[in-house]
Amino acid sequence: MEAATVEPAAGLDVDKLTYEIFSILESKFLFGYDGPKLFSAGGSPQLGDAVESRKATPVRTTAAAAGKGKVCILSIDGGGRAADGLLAGAALVRLEASLRRRTGDQEARLADFFDVAAGSGAGGVLAAMLVARGPDGRPLFSAEDALAFLLRSLRRGWSGCSDGGGLGSLRALFRCPGAAFRKLFGDLTLRDTVRPVLVPCYDMATAGLFLFSRADAVETPAYDFRLRDVCTATCAGSDGSTAVVEVRSSDGSTRIAAVGGGVALGNPTAAAITHVLNNKREFPLAAGVEDLLVVSIGSGEGEQRPAGGGASPSEIVRIAAEGVADMVDQAVAMAFGHNRTSNYIRIQATGTPRASRGAAKGGRVAEEMLAQKSVESVLFRGKKLVEQTNAEKLERLAHELVKERDRRRTKPIAPAVVKQQPSTPAAGGRPPSTASSYSNLARHMLASIM
């Protein structure tokens, strides 16, 4: 009996130690993050001492430790259901309104507070709209503009579609998006953004994930794509169809046979973090997860369906997208370890409210999802509902974003984020090698863990 007795405090220490071990492993394989500094703030002294005794490598100076702030990342999920994008759109409107209220600047845009925007499927369209640069150098669209675009598409489809736009859902937009995105973006390319943007798709030609990236577009015209084509690629096949869309770079030298990002990588959060931690040109001081402030917005979980019967292609797409999104959320939450409560915020609903479903009630659907209690991943225990609602989480996030912007304005030291300048193309106009491409680097790292 004595051998079986375990002190409660000892049990808690074991759980904490286990959590931290898995945090180190997840960080190492997910982001290429290797070092004992993860536990410099609140971590287990026993584990920290053990790691330090085995590794004499000095702890690197991080942006947070140097008082230079955090890199702020916005990541938006995508998928194949008609309501995908509504939760994110409403969350972004709520967040932008809160930022304007707190700063007193009625012209403030989300791109003023985030350093990177990533999105997949419908989330990729939102991300591209938020960072597209207008003629005056400011963001071309507000969060309200982005949500209004989704709601219009949800109500009537897109009138430019060959089927007459009678589907009354975002699937109508995704099946024939050319006219819609051409009207939105014109000839703007990845270079024409106020912030770095990442949008994934699956390239059938190479049988691998492809990340459209402003960093790559700046490096060479061979990776510079028109924003309308980027959105077309990430939305391709999002309705469960087998359609493959061919898009070309603005100089015509690179061709992508695209299937939607919502299918290949419904949750681009890990890709965005990997991009930042390996992009030392734009983010020189981002050395680990403690140097990041990440908000990941989900698309809401699908309703439970009775067992039995077949699943439609669109339902299979939804299941795949939700499975990938949940896996990435679990992995990222583990990688952040004890920093996940302060440095990682997940906005996720528990389904589309059944009573408010319908194209004309899309706005109400989104607001009801914001009023729900938020869903968070728990190590080894799946998910749990937390006390905070999604709307309350957004208010907390707004406070942190304003505080981060104020810190950058008042600290007379070098910033953690550096604006990337266009570089001279390689001799002969050839694109850089695969190893030098940020999107390919992220793709290879993600492929090794997924």
Side-chain angles (χ1 to χ4, degrees):
M1 291 294 293
E2 293 182 359
T5 302
V6 179
E7 292 291 333
L12 290 175
D13 287 341
V14 171
D15 288 344
K16 187 177 181 181
L17 184 64
T18 302
Y19 190 100
E20 292 176 348
I21 289 173
F22 274 87
S23 295
I24 273 190
L25 294 175
E26 204 71 34
S27 297
K28 180 180 178 64
F29 289 103
L30 191 60
F31 311 131
Y33 172 55
D34 185 14
K37 61 185 174 59
L38 178 66
F39 309 105
S40 60
S44 167
Q46 294 88 352
L47 181 59
D49 293 342
V51 175
E52 287 285 5
S53 65
R54 296 185 62 181
K55 295 184 66 175
T57 304
V59 175
R60 292 174 288 180
T61 301
T62 67
K68 299 181 181 180
K70 301 172 183 176
V71 177
C72 301
I73 300 174
L74 171 64
S75 176
I76 310 172
D77 285 12
R81 294 178 302 133
D84 285 343
L86 290 183
L87 171 63
L92 295 172
V93 169
R94 181 74 65 92
L95 179 59
E96 191 171 77
S98 181
L99 291 171
R100 289 175 175 176
R101 184 177 67 252
R102 290 171 182 271
T103 60
D105 181 4
Q106 295 306 308
E107 298 300 320
R109 298 286 174 88
L110 289 174
D112 298 330
F113 297 86
F114 285 101
D115 302 304
V116 181
S120 179
V125 177
L126 290 171
M129 290 184 70
L130 293 176
V131 300
R133 185 174 63 231
D136 59 353
R138 294 284 295 154
L140 186 58
F141 302 104
S142 67
E144 290 182 351
D145 296 331
L147 178 58
F149 172 75
L150 292 184
L151 288 175
R152 286 197 306 269
S153 303
L154 185 63
R155 283 194 298 267
R156 66 188 183 188
W158 189 257
S159 59
C161 292
S162 59
D163 63 7
L167 293 178
S169 72
L170 288 181
R171 293 190 183 97
L173 170 65
F174 290 171
R175 282 176 179 162
C176 43
F181 297 145
R182 184 182 299 273
K183 185 174 181 179
L184 274 180
F185 300 111
D187 290 326
L188 294 178
T189 72
L190 287 168
R191 291 189 179 197
D192 300 319
T193 57
V194 295
R195 292 288 183 270
V197 61
L198 290 166
V199 179
C201 73
Y202 186 86
D203 183 14
M204 297 294 289
T206 59
L209 185 69
F210 186 88
L211 287 172
F212 296 100
S213 163
R214 192 189 76 170
D216 291 339
V218 169
E219 289 293 321
T220 172
Y223 288 129
D224 191 21
F225 291 80
R226 292 181 179 85
L227 289 178
R228 66 180 190 239
D229 293 334
V230 170
C231 292
T232 299
T234 198
C235 292
S238 294
D239 62 339
S241 69
T242 57
V244 176
V245 175
E246 180 177 311
V247 296
R248 292 181 180 271
S249 57
S250 56
D251 68 351
S253 64
T254 304
R255 180 179 64 87
I256 304 295
V259 174
V263 181
L265 190 63
N267 183 344
T269 305
I273 295 173
T274 301
H275 175 85
V276 169
L277 294 183
N278 288 280
N279 183 353
K280 296 305 180 184
R281 179 172 296 180
E282 290 181 292
F283 311 104
L285 296 181
V289 294
E290 68 276 14
D291 296 327
L292 310 177
L293 176 59
V294 180
V295 55
S296 175
I297 306 180
S299 56
E301 299 175 335
E303 291 84 7
Q304 298 273 337
R305 294 182 64 89
S312 67
S314 62
E315 289 175 324
I316 293 175
V317 168
R318 175 186 61 78
I319 293 169
E322 288 183 4
V324 171
D326 289 344
M327 181 183 69
V328 172
D329 178 37
Q330 287 272 351
V332 170
M334 256 195 285
F336 272 85
H338 294 293
N339 288 319
R340 70 185 176 88
T341 57
S342 58
N343 293 51
Y344 176 60
I345 298 174
R346 176 70 169 170
I347 306 297
Q348 178 64 299
T350 55
T352 304
R354 185 176 299 273
S356 297
R357 210 176 301 160
K361 301 178 181 179
R364 193 187 308 172
V365 169
E367 288 300 322
E368 290 188 23
M369 286 192 285
L370 284 180
Q372 292 177 354
K373 289 186 176 180
S374 188
V375 181
E376 289 186 354
S377 295
V378 182
L379 183 63
F380 306 133
R381 297 177 185 176
K383 300 177 183 178
K384 71 173 182 179
L385 285 175
V386 296
E387 289 303 315
Q388 280 188 317
T389 65
N390 288 307
E392 289 169 342
K393 274 191 171 184
L394 289 170
E395 285 297 320
R396 176 165 65 92
L397 173 63
H399 172 74
E400 292 298 323
L401 290 172
V402 172
K403 187 166 67 174
E404 176 59 32
R405 192 183 73 162
D406 292 344
R407 180 189 295 115
R408 295 183 187 184
R409 288 180 171 181
T410 57
K411 292 286 185 180
I413 52 179
V417 181
V418 177
K419 183 178 180 181
Q420 184 171 350
Q421 300 295 333
S423 59
T424 303
R430 294 179 181 177
S433 64
T434 300
S436 67
S437 166
Y438 294 116
S439 63
N440 281 310
L441 175 62
R443 180 177 67 185
H444 293 317
M445 294 186 70
L446 286 168
S448 68
I449 62 168
M450 295 180 66

